[in-house]
Amino acid sequence: MPTPASAWSPPLREASGFDHLVVETPGLHTHVAAIGEGEPVVLLHGFPEHWWQ
């Protein structure tokens, strides 16, 4: 189930249509912002930018 942006700490920037998920692995919590349908495409940003930049 998607987590609303307002539930995150610190709060995520609002962007309509995105589902926010966390993938948890040992020692790492990865934020995933998903939107749309079809074949998955992974876009990775560089440090220290944020998911919306």
Side-chain angles (χ1 to χ4, degrees):
M1 172 158 211
T3 303
S6 60
W8 289 68
S9 180
L12 296 174
R13 177 175 236 171
E14 287 294 333
S16 64
F18 283 90
D19 293 331
H20 297 280
L21 309 164
V22 172
V23 176
E24 296 191 35
T25 56
L28 181 66
H29 302 287
T30 304
H31 167 238
V32 177
I35 193 169
E37 297 179 14
E39 293 294 320
V41 175
V42 177
L43 303 174
L44 299 175
H45 61 76
F47 181 82
E49 289 80 13
H50 301 282
W51 71 274
W52 65 84
Q53 293 177 318

